[in-house]
Amino acid sequence: MSEDPNAVDGEIVDETPTAALAIPSPPVPQSLPDPDYSEGGVPSFDFVRDKIENRYTTSLGSVDVAGLGTENTAEALDKKIADRDQAAKDRLAEIRRSMRGE
């Protein structure tokens, strides 16, 4: 082999970093307990009350969105549907009478 004047001697190094070269990881913070739960994992009264109130409010909102407010109860809507169906039957009977010449 011919010696190249620009060649530099080197050595093979393991690819695993040594402890001195390793980047230290930040310390893991102590996990704080969720303020809504006790150390034993029991939810607080305030948490439970808020959850119940949220569900109640959501159900009221969904009733309003569905159009079933205080003036539009399910019974009132059923009556409107029955009245409309009866009006349609009456109109059909009138059309049939007029076609027969009555």
Side-chain angles (χ1 to χ4, degrees), residues 24-98:
S25 61
V28 177
Q30 292 290 336
S31 63
L32 297 174
D34 194 358
D36 295 326
Y37 288 87
S38 69
E39 297 273 331
V42 178
S44 68
F45 178 75
D46 290 334
F47 177 75
V48 172
R49 184 186 61 221
D50 290 342
K51 194 166 196 169
I52 291 170
E53 287 176 353
N54 187 24
R55 287 183 180 173
Y56 177 72
T57 305
T58 301
S59 69
L60 288 179
S62 63
V63 167
D64 287 341
V65 167
L68 300 174
T70 55
E71 68 278 352
N72 292 328
T73 61
E75 292 82 17
L77 290 176
D78 287 341
K79 182 168 177 9
K80 285 181 183 179
I81 291 170
D83 290 345
R84 187 182 64 203
D85 289 345
Q86 185 61 43
K89 288 177 185 177
D90 292 344
R91 177 71 177 135
L92 183 59
E94 181 184 331
I95 292 171
R96 286 182 178 156
R97 279 194 305 271
S98 69

